[in-house]
Amino acid sequence: MKTVSDYIRTIVDFPHEGIMFRDVTTLFADPRGFRIAVDQMLHPYAGLEIDKVVGLEARGFILGGAIAHQLSVGFVPIRKKGKLPGATISEAYTLEYGEAIVEVHDDAIKAGEKILLVDDLLATGGTAEAGIKLVERLGGEIVSCAFVIDLPDLGGRARLEAMGMDVHALCAFDGD
């Protein structure tokens, strides 16, 4: 039987030399692989109170939407700066290759709501940390952070756990 990691393609030297890019589009394109990933991402949260799923741009939208649907809860996108039409709050963060800003609508999460944060990959944890900070600024409480892939050598899991976050990933790959 195939595991989630069997559906993930590795592209060498993308986006630049020395990087082993873990491509989840092959996982998403396979109906069985996608179902396995969504089901396994849901499993740790069975019976927990979750009010909304927050997905990080962009692949977190694909997973987050499917997970929110299965949990029968709302979905909130955290987007790159300038992509949301309403009033927003923003958070700057550092990426592996530079800096960026993400935003969320300022009315997307109510104080006290229980939030599951979702993305495809956990590398340095910068994007996830920015998302967590946005949720917390709106008064939401992060129940957990869920990822398909963890790259433990880049320290993201340790970074989020140091913030007191519960972190789940379906698989891990060594190196970049």
Side-chain angles (χ1 to χ4, degrees):
M1 183 161 145
K2 282 181 141 183
T3 65
V4 167
S5 61
D6 295 326
Y7 292 96
I8 298 167
R9 169 174 56 187
T10 299
I11 300 174
V12 179
D13 295 330
F14 181 84
H16 58 75
E17 189 173 337
I19 300 294
M20 303 285 284
F21 186 83
R22 308 306 176 169
D23 180 16
V24 295
T25 62
T26 50
L27 171 70
F28 296 164
D30 187 284
R32 185 175 199 76
F34 189 56
R35 168 57 71 186
I36 290 168
V38 171
D39 287 350
Q40 288 182 2
M41 288 182 85
L42 283 166
H43 182 74
Y45 311 107
L48 293 183
E49 181 186 345
I50 294 174
D51 298 304
K52 290 182 179 157
V53 173
V54 167
L56 301 173
E57 186 156 339
R59 291 174 298 272
F61 298 172
I62 297 164
L63 293 159
I67 292 167
H69 171 75
Q70 289 296 105
L71 293 173
S72 297
V73 300
F75 173 78
V76 175
I78 291 186
R79 303 230 37 207
K80 293 177 184 173
K81 183 178 174 69
K83 300 290 184 181
L84 292 170
T88 62
I89 61 169
S90 62
E91 186 72 33
Y93 66 101
T94 303
L95 295 158
E96 299 93 311
Y97 320 114
E99 294 182 357
I101 297 173
V102 288
E103 298 179 323
V104 66
H105 280 129
D106 65 3
D107 61 354
I109 295 167
K110 309 278 185 275
E113 286 187 318
K114 309 283 191 235
I115 306 298
L116 173 61
L117 184 119
V118 175
D119 204 359
D120 67 319
L121 181 116
L122 177 58
T124 66
T127 309
E129 181 178 353
I132 290 164
K133 287 179 177 179
L134 287 172
V135 168
E136 290 177 340
R137 283 172 51 199
L138 293 175
E141 177 188 325
I142 302 287
V143 172
S144 187
C145 303
F147 305 90
V148 174
I149 302 168
D150 180 16
L151 301 178
D153 293 346
L154 297 181
R157 176 185 285 270
R159 181 179 187 169
L160 299 184
E161 288 174 343
M163 294 174 67
M165 295 295 121
D166 178 62
V167 179
H168 289 274
L170 302 185
C171 62
F173 291 94
D174 293 331
D176 299 350

